[in-house]
Amino acid sequence: MKLSYLQITTAMVAMSAANAQGSLRTADAVDAVDAVEVNDSAKPTKDQDRRLATGCHPTYNGGSFSAGSMVSATTITESTSTESCTPAGTGTCPSTGFRTVTTRTSKTYNYTCKTGPASAFCSQSAFAPNGIYSNQAWDRESTECSGVATPATPAAWSGGGCPSIFSSGTDYSAEDVVSVEGSAFDLVYQCKPSPVDAFCSQSGYEPGTSIHWELAWTLLGSCMGTIAPTTSPNFVSLDPAGGCPALYSSSADYEEGDRVSRDGLVYQCKAAPLSGYCPQEGYEPGTSIGSGSQTIEYWKAAWSVVGHCSGSITPTSSPSFDSLTDMGGCPDEWVQQTYEEGDRVSANGLVYVCKAHPNSGHCGQAGYEPTSEPGPWSVAWAVAGHCSGSIGPTGAPSFDPANSVGTCPNEWVPGDNTSYEEGDMV
């Protein structure tokens, strides 16, 4: 077989390159241009083994993560190089006698979810470890890992077992402690002191999982099991309040300092402006709205527990009118009609006077009839004194002839479009 000058020259160049490298590698890829083979240099040497992490954490596969969560992810890098091949123009060896070799190298690293606001991104796929934006949410260890890592449990908190699990919608206060369940261990958090404790109950500040949780909570450590139950609850820490005051009544008009009882506890209406909630529906002491994680106790905004009680308050002597002004005869009893400021009515021997505007607008409305029992009527009426009998009638009306104007003028008629002038009489 005769060879051309070009073929002879190409073969000589290829053989020289092969001799310079010391050996030839046989390509087994299908593509004649981009033959791929595993680079032995990607395998760790004994020296490198000593620098590897002790083990790989669970492989990242999406999901929910919080600050301190640890995962592993594999990064694959590619590099290309040119090498000589023979015989040129056959199989995977181009006619030039050189081919391009692509080397893929895989490395596995451990990643830790960052602390602070950045931890909120750890659960988003766009910030996955080894992704484009991973460094904004995850910290990567400098050395590779191999095998399986044993999770390192944070130091245990001083309280022993795990407190109640954090529940969204619960009203938390300063120094309250909660636990948050994790895949390998549970963590304990404590609500920070005032004034930032106001955020502990708000959405967006959930401990360990939200963007701003570190503004409201402090991580105390890990926990296992549950906190041992205490003895049965008792009232030792509450002051005795003697006999129990009256039960809460939804129709009563409570004010600052008023006290009621429920299940052996005494509740006192808070100072203004919170006292405005005391008589409102939904603020009955010791009650709650909703259930489970959605339970809300609105009454705490209006009432305070001031002690415990038993029995009833010793009754005082019979009521008397010594401290009320004697109004003489009793005015008419209340009827549903229009009343104005200063108008008086009577009920059960008491005289009530209609309050000033704008309260006077309620004086004639149903539901505001004054009685001897507490109720909404006190918004419109005030007790002026006590009375007995009835007010004596005055004399028959009379007309002074000196003030007579003679024959009565025409009556005023609405809608007759009559034009009146100064001095006209109707």
Side-chain angles (χ1 to χ4, degrees):
M1 180 179 65
K2 294 182 179 181
L3 299 176
S4 66
Y5 175 77
L6 177 61
Q7 290 175 317
I8 295 174
T9 303
T10 302
M12 292 177 65
V13 172
M15 292 177 64
S16 298
N19 291 332
Q21 292 181 354
S23 65
L24 294 176
R25 285 181 286 184
T26 302
D28 57 357
V30 176
D31 188 353
V33 178
D34 295 320
V36 179
E37 61 183 38
V38 176
N39 188 349
D40 290 338
S41 63
K43 298 179 181 179
T45 64
K46 291 182 178 180
D47 290 338
Q48 289 175 323
D49 284 337
R50 287 194 292 269
R51 298 197 304 271
L52 296 181
T54 56
C56 297
H57 296 296
T59 302
Y60 173 85
N61 193 25
S64 179
F65 300 95
S66 59
S69 295
M70 293 176 286
V71 299
S72 65
T74 300
T75 302
I76 298 177
T77 59
E78 292 186 355
S79 60
T80 59
S81 61
T82 302
E83 66 178 12
S84 62
C85 60
T86 187
T90 61
T92 61
C93 187
S95 60
T96 59
F98 292 92
R99 64 182 176 184
T100 301
V101 177
T102 300
T103 302
R104 291 187 176 91
T105 304
S106 63
K107 295 183 179 181
T108 303
Y109 294 91
N110 285 328
Y111 293 80
T112 303
C113 181
K114 292 179 180 289
T115 59
S119 62
F121 299 117
C122 294
S123 302
Q124 300 183 21
S125 58
F127 296 85
N130 75 20
I132 299 177
Y133 305 108
S134 65
N135 62 345
Q136 297 184 30
W138 300 87
D139 290 324
R140 195 192 80 174
E141 293 183 0
S142 60
T143 57
E144 298 176 70
C145 66
S146 63
V148 179
T150 301
T153 304
W157 80 299
S158 60
C162 296
S164 299
I165 296 176
F166 174 84
S167 176
S168 179
T170 302
D171 185 18
Y172 292 104
S173 303
E175 299 186 1
D176 284 348
V177 289
V178 298
S179 62
V180 176
E181 294 180 322
S183 58
F185 44 80
D186 297 342
L187 295 176
V188 180
Y189 298 85
Q190 184 176 51
C191 183
K192 291 186 176 182
S194 178
V196 295
D197 64 320
F199 297 111
C200 293
S201 306
Q202 296 187 16
S203 176
Y205 294 86
E206 295 83 354
T209 59
S210 60
I211 297 178
H212 307 297
W213 74 265
E214 289 183 303
L215 296 176
W217 297 89
T218 300
L219 176 61
L220 299 182
S222 62
C223 66
M224 295 181 62
T226 58
I227 297 177
T230 59
T231 57
S232 300
N234 56 62
F235 299 121
V236 172
S237 60
L238 293 177
D239 295 330
C244 297
L247 298 176
Y248 177 88
S249 173
S250 59
S251 62
D253 183 23
Y254 293 106
E255 300 177 350
E256 176 183 345
D258 287 347
R259 293 188 174 188
V260 296
S261 64
R262 180 186 177 91
D263 299 331
L265 295 179
V266 179
Y267 299 85
Q268 180 170 295
C269 183
K270 293 184 178 182
L274 299 178
S275 59
Y277 295 109
C278 292
Q280 293 189 18
E281 183 179 359
Y283 290 85
E284 180 179 353
T287 61
S288 61
I289 297 176
S291 60
S293 62
Q294 303 300 319
T295 301
I296 303 176
E297 296 176 311
Y298 287 117
W299 68 266
K300 292 183 178 179
W303 299 87
S304 298
V305 179
V306 295
H308 63 95
C309 64
S310 61
S312 58
I313 298 177
T314 304
T316 59
S317 57
S318 300
S320 64
F321 299 118
D322 293 342
S323 61
L324 295 177
T325 303
D326 186 355
M327 306 297 291
C330 296
D332 294 336
E333 293 186 353
W334 182 91
V335 295
Q336 190 170 346
Q337 66 178 34
T338 300
Y339 290 99
E340 299 178 352
E341 177 183 348
D343 286 348
R344 296 183 178 184
V345 297
S346 64
N348 300 322
L350 295 178
V351 178
Y352 301 86
V353 59
C354 181
K355 292 184 178 181
H357 179 80
N359 303 62
S360 59
H362 299 293
C363 290
Q365 294 181 0
Y368 290 87
E369 176 183 358
T371 66
S372 58
E373 297 295 329
W377 65 264
S378 60
V379 174
W381 297 90
V383 178
H386 65 94
C387 64
S388 60
S390 59
I391 298 177
T394 59
S398 61
F399 300 99
D400 185 356
N403 295 326
S404 175
V405 294
T407 305
C408 293
N410 295 331
E411 290 188 3
W412 183 86
V413 179
D416 65 355
N417 296 323
T418 301
S419 177
Y420 293 100
E421 298 178 355
E422 180 181 353
D424 288 347
M425 295 185 178
V426 294

